[in-house]
Amino acid sequence: MVRTMSLIRALIGTARMLRHTPRLADGLPPDDAVLLDAPDDRLAPALVSAALGEYEPTAKLLATTRESAEWENRDRYVMRLAAFAHNRDEWLGRWLAASPHDPDALVVKAELGVRRAWESPARAELLRGIGPLIGAAAEGDPRDPVPWRIALDHARGTHAGHDAFETLWGEAVRRSSHHYGCHVAALQYLSARWHGSHRECFDFAEQAAADALPGSLVKALPMRAAFSELVSGDGLTPVTTVTAGALGTTGGTSTTDRIDAACDEAVLLSSMYAVGDPWPAEVRNLLAYVLVGRHRWDEALEQFRLIGPYATSFPWTSLTDDPLGQFLETRDGVRLQVASGMPLWNRTDRGRPRGHYA
């Protein structure tokens, strides 16, 4: 009898998925329309020019962000340009040859140096040699917080002590008190994986979010702390696999309460931005990931709708080397989970005449 009931439940669940999953695709871009790490309208022409070996559009773009103190955009562009230069740096070499003291070229060079050293087995040793590059970038424009974000990443990789970290953090927030990239770098340093603890990481994130202005991406910092907790395996099941859309389970009352509160804050933040806005795309991708980890399927599906076509490598690279495939697989899995929890027939369906053969 027990086996029969289990079979019936499985069949009903399958029927629910077959019935509801297709319509749950409403508002979701088709798979072939989803883009991974798509550049915005300002960065895209600079990347195209860099691919042709030309640096002038990049120089103009970064100069504009510096002169108008667009520190958040500047940080994003520097990271993307350095990632591009990791394999194709001819344009950067020409730029530095033409203007060796250009503060915009120097900050890209420093970010690239840290990125290359980070991937080496001799990371700490190589990173120590990058210090002068970061110093030169910081001297290029004393107002710029981006070199100090790079310095915080550098401190994490070189196992700098907390006193050194506090000094760098002070320099960063003196230049831009709510700079998202600097906050993320500090949070990573304070994580249990590196030089802090889960409690220290969460305390820092929650205080920063409480101090941030409405709509600031810093409001999502506790969710990044939640992500660190989910993938750490310290008291929680690591988020490692996708089965019918599930990314593992979590446990522990006090920890999960903080994670759920972080999700609630991030859901509110996400609601302040338009559907398909590329600016909060990474935050929304991360929110979808954490919501799935908490089995909050309906909210996760809503985030996938808000993401639109803008998939981001982070956080999906924590699961696989195919982040776009993982994004799409998880999105499909969430639809199945939502469909399996919906009633097979709603009351309207039951009351509607269906004809002789319905």
Side-chain angles (χ1 to χ4, degrees):
M1 181 64 178
V2 173
R3 187 175 299 173
T4 300
M5 291 303 296
S6 297
L7 178 60
I8 290 173
R9 282 194 291 269
L11 290 172
I12 291 173
T14 300
R16 287 170 174 165
M17 286 188 269
L18 290 172
R19 175 172 173 75
H20 297 300
T21 299
R23 69 182 182 84
L24 289 175
D26 291 347
L28 297 175
D31 288 2
D32 59 5
V34 176
L35 308 171
L36 182 68
D37 299 329
D40 66 19
D41 292 341
R42 299 170 72 189
L43 179 60
L47 289 173
V48 170
S49 296
L52 299 173
E54 302 167 359
Y55 66 85
E56 290 85 359
T58 294
K60 183 178 180 180
L61 173 63
L62 290 185
T64 299
T65 63
R66 179 169 47 84
E67 291 162 3
S68 56
E70 296 178 49
W71 305 129
E72 301 287 7
N73 279 328
R74 179 175 177 81
D75 198 16
R76 289 193 180 196
Y77 295 158
V78 165
M79 286 192 285
R80 290 297 302 276
L81 288 162
F84 183 84
H86 191 276
N87 295 312
R88 302 186 66 177
D89 63 356
E90 300 88 352
W91 59 277
L92 180 58
R94 290 173 183 162
W95 187 6
L96 288 164
S99 305
H101 303 295
D102 187 316
D104 305 313
L106 290 174
V107 75
V108 177
K109 182 180 180 180
E111 172 69 17
L112 176 59
V114 170
R115 186 178 293 266
R116 283 177 168 165
W118 202 272
E119 296 181 2
S120 170
R123 174 197 299 163
E125 180 180 352
L126 291 175
L127 281 172
R128 290 188 186 97
I130 304 299
L133 294 181
I134 301 173
E139 291 171 2
D141 188 332
R143 303 172 306 148
D144 188 359
V146 178
W148 297 97
R149 190 271 304 158
I150 300 172
L152 287 166
D153 288 336
H154 179 263
R156 176 163 53 96
T158 55
H159 306 289
H162 275 65
D163 288 344
F165 163 78
E166 290 291 346
T167 299
L168 295 173
W169 174 243
E171 294 288 347
V173 296
R174 185 163 65 83
R175 288 161 173 80
S176 182
S177 57
H178 299 292
H179 187 268
Y180 179 65
C182 289
H183 277 79
V184 170
L187 187 75
Q188 290 174 318
Y189 179 93
L190 294 170
S191 69
R193 180 183 176 188
W194 289 98
H195 308 293
S197 65
H198 289 313
R199 181 179 295 278
E200 191 174 9
C201 184
F202 253 121
D203 288 348
F204 171 82
E206 289 169 350
Q207 185 60 57
D211 294 340
L213 297 173
S216 168
L217 296 187
V218 175
K219 290 285 188 185
L221 213 62
M223 187 185 56
R224 290 194 75 116
F227 168 79
S228 296
E229 188 104 24
L230 282 169
V231 300
S232 72
D234 185 6
L236 297 169
T237 301
V239 179
T240 55
T241 58
V242 175
T243 304
L247 295 179
T249 58
T250 63
T253 302
S254 61
T255 299
T256 54
D257 284 348
R258 293 185 94 169
I259 292 175
D260 283 335
C263 287
D264 294 341
E265 181 88 31
V267 166
L268 178 60
L269 173 67
S270 178
S271 70
M272 296 180 180
Y273 291 90
V275 176
D277 187 337
W279 175 253
E282 185 178 270
V283 165
R284 282 172 166 167
N285 275 253
L286 179 59
L287 177 54
Y289 181 108
V290 177
L291 287 169
V292 169
R294 294 294 299 126
H295 293 184
R296 292 169 61 167
W297 308 116
D298 291 274
E299 292 167 291
L301 183 59
E302 177 60 18
Q303 290 307 311
F304 279 115
R305 290 197 176 99
L306 292 172
I307 288 167
Y310 295 108
T312 58
S313 291
F314 178 78
W316 310 107
T317 47
S318 68
L319 298 173
T320 176
D321 292 332
D322 178 19
L324 180 57
Q326 186 67 64
F327 173 91
L328 297 173
E329 179 183 338
T330 305
R331 192 178 69 164
D332 288 344
V334 168
R335 286 171 56 209
L336 291 173
Q337 289 288 344
V338 172
S340 67
M342 298 174 70
L344 186 56
W345 304 105
N346 59 36
R347 293 181 179 179
T348 304
D349 291 332
R350 286 175 178 169
R352 183 185 302 136
R354 300 193 184 98
H356 292 295
Y357 306 106

